[in-house]
Amino acid sequence: MDPMYTLVLWILLDQGTKVLAQKYLTEGLTLYLIPDVFGLCYLKNYGAAWGMLKHMTWLFVLSAIVFAAAILYIYYFRIPKEKHYQGLRILLTLLLAGAIGNAIDRVFRGFVVDFFYFSLIDFPVFNVADCLITVPIALILIFYRKEVSAWLK
């Protein structure tokens, strides 16, 4: 089965957790699940990572559209149909879901809902979509670096 069929499920997971964060968390207060290590902290992010480029919604939405088009092109036209590349297809599906999830926030809320917070290392607050973007990128760079660089030429 084509991993792209799970795209909607990942987007729903991302959006569902954001709805729950908005409903049950108070902005600025951290609900610790592991004291002084990890908690939930509702935050409205009007920018990109670490709040960069605040209120540039049009730029982020445009970037998400270009990014999604590039992922779909690579997914359907550049990746060989061999079973060896099934993992890459799954990673690209997760990456696309993350990009769409944050784009939905920007278009319909005007900001991205963030709520995961690792206080132990004072890591910036993030969300499911952010995980769906960063983890696949790291894994692609580790496992498919040579193939991807060849396809992008």
Side-chain angles (χ1 to χ4, degrees), residues 2-8 11 63-81 88-100 140 151-152:
D2 188 337
M4 196 59 75
Y5 291 126
T6 63
L7 178 70
V8 173
I11 294 169
S63 298
I65 291 168
V66 170
F67 189 68
I71 289 173
L72 289 170
Y73 173 75
I74 292 168
Y75 188 97
Y76 286 110
F77 299 109
R78 301 295 291 171
I79 298 176
K81 304 298 183 220
L88 181 57
R89 290 181 181 284
I90 291 168
L91 294 172
L92 288 176
T93 301
L94 297 176
L95 192 55
L96 182 58
I100 292 171
I140 288 168
W151 298 328
L152 294 176

Side-chain angles (χ1 to χ4, degrees), residues 69-145:
I71 289 173
L72 289 170
Y73 173 75
I74 292 168
Y75 188 97
Y76 286 110
F77 299 109
R78 301 295 291 171
I79 298 176
K81 304 298 183 220
E82 301 164 21
K83 189 173 183 174
H84 168 74
Y85 295 102
Q86 187 68 2
L88 181 57
R89 290 181 181 284
I90 291 168
L91 294 172
L92 288 176
T93 301
L94 297 176
L95 192 55
L96 182 58
I100 292 171
N102 279 343
I104 288 170
D105 277 18
R106 293 181 195 289
V107 170
F108 293 103
R109 292 184 178 102
F111 55 88
V112 173
V113 173
D114 288 331
F115 54 91
F116 291 135
Y117 176 54
F118 280 100
S119 59
L120 180 67
I121 57 173
D122 197 26
F123 195 79
V125 182
F126 59 100
N127 60 44
V128 173
D130 296 337
C131 296
L132 292 172
I133 293 169
T134 55
V135 172
I137 287 174
L139 293 174
I140 288 168
L141 291 174
I142 291 168
F143 295 111
Y144 294 100
R145 182 181 65 247

Side-chain angles (χ1 to χ4, degrees), residues 13-98:
L13 174 67
D14 172 62
Q15 291 299 304
T17 57
K18 290 173 179 174
V19 166
L20 292 172
Q22 281 189 294
K23 184 173 182 177
Y24 294 109
L25 298 175
T26 303
E27 190 168 9
L29 295 178
T30 301
L31 172 65
Y32 282 99
L33 302 177
I34 303 171
D36 299 321
V37 175
F38 175 74
L40 303 175
C41 177
Y42 175 65
L43 176 74
K44 295 176 181 176
N45 185 350
Y46 293 93
W50 299 280
M52 293 184 299
L53 301 172
K54 286 185 178 180
H55 303 291
M56 299 288 290
T57 301
W58 66 270
L59 178 63
F60 295 121
V61 172
L62 178 63
S63 298
I65 291 168
V66 170
F67 189 68
I71 289 173
L72 289 170
Y73 173 75
I74 292 168
Y75 188 97
Y76 286 110
F77 299 109
R78 301 295 291 171
I79 298 176
K81 304 298 183 220
E82 301 164 21
K83 189 173 183 174
H84 168 74
Y85 295 102
Q86 187 68 2
L88 181 57
R89 290 181 181 284
I90 291 168
L91 294 172
L92 288 176
T93 301
L94 297 176
L95 192 55
L96 182 58

